Amino acid sequence: MSRWFQWSVVYGLLIAVLPCVAHAQEAKPAETPEQRDARMSWWRDARFGMFIHWGVYSVPAGTYNGKQIDGIGEWIMHNGKIPVSEYRAYAKQFNPVKYDPEAWVKMAQDAGMKYIVITSKHHDGFALFDSKVTEWDVVDATPYGKDLLKPLADACHKHGMPLGFYYSQAQDWNHPGGAAAQGHWDPAQDGSMDEYIKNIAVPQVEEILSNYGKLAILWWDTPKDMTPERASVLFPLTSMQPGIITNNRLGGGYEGDTDTPEQHIPDTGIEGRDWEVCMTMNDTWGFKSYDDNWKSTETLIRNLVDIASKGGNYLLNVGPTSEGLIPDPSIQRLKEIGAWMKVNGEAIYGTTASPFTNLPWGRCTKKLTADGGRLYLHVFTWPADGKLLVPGLKTAVSKATLLAAPGTTLTVETTPQGALISLPSAAPDGISSTIAVDLAGPLQVAQ
Ligand code: H79
């Protein structure tokens, strides 16, 4: 290979790679791994949050012109191809007089949730806040006429609940130039996306980052048609909130801080990334009057445990009605999860992923120290013979207890297959019972 050719390859690569590097650095001042760990620390400990999808779509609640529209409720305008003027009329019935943000914060807290993320503006472009750059917001377009985010932010700050805003930066079906997943269906939507970004998205992101005190998270969504140029005018705004966490959905090559599997739990953790599964309790994010396909409390708790055992967070959704009420089936489930978390929360918060590849009876989380630490065994299937094998655990166990019965000590035998724990005949919790295992030395597992 000639020297010139070698260098031309090197230069070619540099030219290909440099713009990305420069781009990333320009977008965010360099942060050391230690600084990043410090910034992410509360979020990694939290493990469980509440997602709130609320907007004008809660008025049609899944039905347009007497027809039930397929799909997720907040997509009704898109899926029903509802013209802009017709959709805007729904806002006249959006009057959440029963809204009690402090009760919502308390509900989240009692469920064991450690942060809240609410839709400040979804794909329908409707702002739940007082936006100066549009009339398509709760203050100007509804009989309610008051900013919805302000009292929630106040309640969150009062109760020490970190608050995040979801903002649909690319899709906007009500402002000219905003993107739509499958293209516009009303000429009123046509326009320049660059103008939309400049005149709506940028000032609105400035508004939500400026007017509500400390914000913990900015949650972008669906980077449809987001070029690096469009994203590059939005990303730098996040520096208005020091320490804010952003997700991977801005587009334009920005990775953000977190990966965001939606409606599914990955088979394993995501190497080298923080991640958060967002999920609905039924089959819709925004309220749909006839969606009764609720997941059981058992499924929701086991999902949380499964996700924690893989090192991720669970952002679980509620979709309030146009009156401002969280549906009863959601409230019921949050209460039951809360009761479980009261006993077992120690095995979720601040834990890291399981050191085992496969546990036939359930899941494991851990809190390790240099000279030992604790394993938490989450038993879904209680052994009929009263013996639970922790396969491959080589470290001696100094103590094993049930979180549901802290005074008790369980007998542990060391066997060639691993630690064998003797259990009482009945499971303390039919959904998931936790055994805390104190290690007598550094964790060692034979796989
Ligand atoms: O806010 C919630 C959803 O509305 C949003 N993300 C979560 C957090 C979301 N946006 N897009 N999607 C979820 C998935 C999009 C699916 C689509 Fe389609 C498939 C868009 C176009 C094809 C579903 C089917 C909607 C229209 C047809």
Side-chain angles (χ1 to χ4, degrees):
M1 199 187 286
S2 79
R3 185 155 285 192
W4 174 84
F5 184 70
Q6 281 179 354
W7 279 110
S8 71
V9 169
V10 171
Y11 279 127
L13 277 174
L14 277 178
I15 288 160
V17 166
L18 265 178
C20 313
V21 174
H23 198 235
Q25 283 181 347
E26 185 188 314
K28 186 158 210 179
E31 187 184 38
T32 66
E34 293 72 27
Q35 286 169 330
R36 181 158 198 285
D37 286 345
R39 186 166 59 83
M40 296 303 295
S41 162
W42 74 266
W43 188 93
R44 290 173 183 162
D45 286 351
R47 283 289 172 260
F48 190 29
M50 175 183 273
F51 215 168
I52 304 176
H53 274 71
W54 201 22
V56 162
Y57 40 77
S58 63
V59 172
T63 303
Y64 169 53
N65 274 348
K67 253 185 55 196
Q68 296 192 346
I69 304 296
D70 280 348
I72 39 187
E74 69 284 4
W75 278 68
I76 189 168
M77 181 179 177
H78 175 279
N79 296 353
K81 305 255 172 290
I82 305 178
V84 168
S85 61
E86 239 180 288
Y87 188 78
R88 287 199 175 207
Y90 285 125
K92 304 208 163 53
Q93 294 170 68
F94 186 79
N95 193 15
V97 290
K98 297 188 177 157
Y99 178 42
D100 184 349
E102 197 146 2
W104 289 8
V105 173
K106 182 131 195 329
M107 202 183 293
Q109 233 159 16
D110 290 347
M113 292 162 149
K114 298 292 192 187
Y115 58 106
I116 291 177
V117 180
I118 186 168
T119 50
S120 66
K121 182 197 89 164
H122 204 267
H123 308 331
D124 67 356
F126 177 77
L128 267 63
F129 56 99
D130 184 12
S131 174
K132 300 296 176 224
V133 295
T134 183
E135 306 264 281
W136 184 229
D137 69 21
V138 64
V139 174
D140 298 319
T142 78
Y144 188 72
K146 284 173 286 196
D147 188 312
L148 292 168
L149 300 184
K150 185 73 176 62
L152 180 66
D154 290 346
C156 283
H157 294 140
K158 178 172 158 196
H159 293 282
M161 175 70 83
L163 175 66
F165 289 154
Y166 167 112
Y167 185 83
S168 175
Q169 77 284 7
Q171 292 204 68
D172 187 318
W173 310 323
N174 261 277
H175 292 106
Q182 293 166 334
H184 297 151
W185 57 91
D186 180 334
Q189 298 165 321
D190 295 344
S192 149
M193 184 158 177
D194 293 312
E195 290 294 305
Y196 152 76
I197 295 281
K198 190 169 101 195
N199 299 330
I200 301 292
V202 165
Q204 287 196 330
V205 169
E206 285 172 345
E207 287 173 332
I208 60 174
L209 293 178
S210 311
N211 298 341
Y212 302 90
K214 173 120 186 100
L215 261 205
I217 295 165
L218 185 55
W219 217 98
W220 311 109
D221 203 6
T222 62
K224 168 88 177 154
D225 301 333
M226 285 300 284
T227 58
E229 292 69 32
R230 289 168 182 157
S232 72
V233 295
L234 288 167
F235 189 84
L237 303 177
T238 59
S239 65
M240 295 167 71
Q241 284 278 344
I244 199 165
I245 292 169
T246 63
N247 71 4
N248 63 341
R249 296 188 179 200
L250 174 59
Y254 290 85
E255 285 190 328
D257 298 306
T258 60
D259 280 10
T260 51
E262 178 164 329
Q263 297 287 39
H264 73 94
I265 302 174
D267 290 339
T268 63
I270 304 174
E271 196 53 43
R273 292 285 291 170
D274 289 293
W275 56 278
E276 172 192 70
V277 171
C278 56
M279 198 182 278
T280 52
M281 285 198 210
N282 50 0
D283 291 328
T284 183
W285 304 87
F287 179 68
K288 261 177 107 171
S289 63
Y290 51 89
D291 183 340
D292 297 319
N293 193 25
W294 298 97
K295 295 173 185 72
S296 65
T297 301
E298 175 179 283
T299 296
L300 298 173
I301 288 175
R302 288 185 178 180
N303 282 349
L304 173 61
V305 171
D306 186 26
I307 291 164
S309 82
K310 294 166 181 170
N313 281 14
Y314 197 25
L315 186 61
L316 186 58
N317 184 70
V318 295
T321 67
S322 60
E323 279 190 307
L325 295 175
I326 292 175
D328 281 336
S330 299
I331 295 178
Q332 184 60 29
R333 281 157 182 75
L334 291 174
K335 274 194 187 139
E336 290 168 6
I337 296 170
W340 185 89
M341 287 295 265
K342 241 191 162 125
V343 175
N344 302 282
E346 178 194 330
I348 301 291
Y349 305 126
T351 60
T352 52
S354 172
F356 305 102
T357 44
N358 182 33
L359 297 172
W361 38 257
R363 301 289 183 273
C364 176
T365 53
K366 65 184 184 342
K367 285 181 195 165
L368 295 186
T369 58
D371 56 358
R374 223 167 209 214
L375 298 180
Y376 295 98
L377 312 177
H378 303 258
V379 186
F380 296 169
T381 313
W382 199 253
D385 65 357
K387 301 279 186 197
L388 189 85
L389 179 70
V390 189
L393 179 62
K394 291 171 74 179
T395 315
V397 171
S398 58
K399 191 176 177 184
T401 57
L402 278 163
L403 287 191
T408 55
T409 301
L410 305 170
T411 309
V412 184
E413 273 173 77
T414 307
T415 75
Q417 287 74 41
L420 193 64
I421 306 178
S422 298
L423 301 178
S425 56
D429 192 302
I431 293 177
S432 183
S433 308
T434 314
I435 300 160
V437 173
D438 288 329
L439 301 170
L443 175 68
Q444 270 193 299
V445 176
Q447 291 291 355

